């Protein structure tokens, strides 16, 4: 079942078009009936005028009615190029003075008022008029019943032409009206489309209020959206503050436990080593969980992002992290590119992302005895319209079937080792916040790349 709700434009078009079509139909029927009546009246008047012409040809001679109509009859028949004319003049004795036999209907001509009617004569449908004409001579009344009818071809042709003309006029009126309706609906809904465009163009993490010259009907909608944006921004600020507070509150007791442990046990004591390992693991888990919450796309304030040189950021990070890598027994290399690339970013997040990748290499790029393998390389390179920030180690890499899963939350390749399973998931989350993609491949070790979009370099 399709439960899709019709659009506002389709509703408006329907509500405007259906009444318009009904009104057009009513107007068409009215004008059609009106036109038929006018055509019928015109032809009836012409038919009556012909009957009056016959009446003027009546005369009385020797006490008898006669009709002097030979020339009139010829003229009447010759002037009708469409259809035929039938006529008759009958006296009181039902004697036909002139015309066609059986055409006269006495019941319809008892009064002096002309009677119009349809009849069939000689296989043809006729529009006929009959009436009684009276002549007076020597104190005596002579009645003549005049009937004249014509076939309906000419009437029908005129009605047909009127119908075609009306249809054309109505069709043009309907097309024009529908066109105007569509244009009016489109123009009327333009503010909604403009609002939709503004919203679609905004970054999904942009919570600044909408600035839009809304018509009166949309003012409340825009106000409601801005209220929702403001509430969301306040919620995010609250969550950020909460994360900061909880981070401080969690770090403090862990630090106190570490200090307490050092006062109770000697650092070479097995109990100290075991408990210190547990505390360090708790610290790491706490840091990762807080970082994961901090980098959640739904709780990010984009105002913290600033345009910075990724080259400088990576260079400074390399200087900071190199001692840690050397201390673990690895070699370290940094390969910068000559072109400078600027990125809207949160530098702290970028460093946290690199920390997680480096820590992953320090943890897994070891042999079976836990000894470090080779060099960890941080590189920055351009490929067409993308910038690749990569960290490569020379460890054993990851089995091909596991590569697609290493960025999933809580996924660990080696479940026998300690870890949160959040490190590379956080990497992907931070990359996504910076509109970048992640990639992991085996290349004489594991190589993890963050791929940023960039304008294609012009040579």
């Amino acid at each position: 079942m399709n439960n899709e709700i019709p659009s506002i434009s389709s509703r408006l078009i329907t509500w405007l078009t259906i009444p318009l079509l009904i009104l057009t139909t009513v107007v068409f029927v009215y004008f059609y009936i009106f036109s038929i009546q006018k055509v019928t009246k015109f032809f009836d008047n012409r038919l009556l005028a012909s009957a009056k012409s016959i009446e003027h040809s009546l005369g009385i001679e020797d006490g008898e009615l006669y009709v002097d109509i030979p020339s009139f009859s010829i003229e009447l028949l010759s002037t009708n190029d469409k259809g035929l004319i039938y006529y008759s003049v009958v006296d009181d004795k039902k004697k036909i003075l002139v015309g066609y036999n059986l055409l006269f209907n006495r019941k319809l001509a008892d009064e002096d008022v002309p009677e119009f009617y349809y009849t069939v004569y000689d296989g043809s449908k006729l529009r006929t008029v009959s009436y009684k004409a009276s002549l007076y001579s020597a104190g005596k009344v002579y009645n003549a019943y005049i009937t004249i009818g014509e076939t309906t071809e000419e009437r029908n042709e005129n009605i047909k032409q009127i119908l075609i003309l009306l249809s054309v006029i109505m069709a043009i009126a309907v097309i024009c009206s529908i066109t105007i309706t569509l244009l009016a609906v489109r123009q009327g809904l333009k503010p909604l489309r403009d609002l939709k465009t503004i919203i679609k163009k905004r970054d999904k993490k942009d919570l600044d209020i909408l600035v839009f010259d809304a018509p009166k009907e949309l003012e409340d909608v825009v106000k409601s959206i801005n209220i929702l944006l403001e509430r969301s921004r306040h919620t995010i600020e609250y969550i950020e503050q909460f994360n900061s507070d909880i981070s401080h509150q969690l770090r403090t007791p862990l630090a106190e436990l570490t200090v307490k442990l050092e006062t109770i046990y000697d650092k070479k004591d097995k109990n100290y080593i075991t408990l210190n390992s547990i505390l360090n693991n708790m610290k790491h888990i706490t840091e990762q969980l807080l970082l994961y919450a901090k980098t959640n796309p739904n709780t990010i304030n984009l105002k913290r992002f600033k345009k910075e040189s990724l080259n400088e950021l990576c260079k400074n990070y390399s200087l900071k992290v190199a001692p840690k890598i050397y201390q673990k027994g690895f070699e370290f290399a940094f390969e910068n590119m000559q072109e400078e690339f600027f990125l809207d970013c949160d530098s702290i997040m970028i460093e946290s992302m690199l920390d997680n990748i480096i820590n992953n290499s320090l943890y897994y790029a070891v042999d079976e005895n836990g000894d470090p393998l080779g060099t960890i390389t941080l590189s920055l390179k351009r490929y067409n319209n993308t910038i690749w920030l990569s960290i490569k180690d020379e460890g054993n890499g990851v089995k091909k079937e596991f590569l697609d899963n290493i960025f999933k939350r809580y996924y660990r390749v080696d479940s026998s080792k300690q870890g949160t399973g959040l490190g590379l998931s956080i990497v992907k989350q931070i990359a996504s916040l910076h509109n970048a993609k992640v990639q992991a491949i085996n290349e004489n070790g594991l190589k993890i790349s963050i791929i940023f979009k960039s304008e294609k370099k012009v040579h």
Side-chain angles (χ1 to χ4, degrees), residues 363-364 402 411-419:
Y363 198 62
Y364 287 102
F402 299 145
Y411 183 82
R412 290 186 293 166
V413 175
D414 188 351
S415 58
S416 64
K417 292 189 176 184
Q418 289 184 340

Side-chain angles (χ1 to χ4, degrees), residues 42-59:
F42 170 79
F43 280 95
D44 283 353
N45 288 338
R46 193 181 72 174
L47 194 62
L48 182 59
S50 299
K52 292 294 183 181
S53 298
I54 296 176
E55 181 182 351
H56 295 156
S57 300
L58 291 174

Side-chain angles (χ1 to χ4, degrees), residues 343-358:
L343 175 71
D344 284 326
C345 66
D346 183 320
S347 58
I348 296 176
M349 284 189 187
I350 295 293
E351 289 189 7
S352 298
M353 177 180 69
L354 295 174
D355 272 340
N356 276 351
I357 302 175
I358 293 289

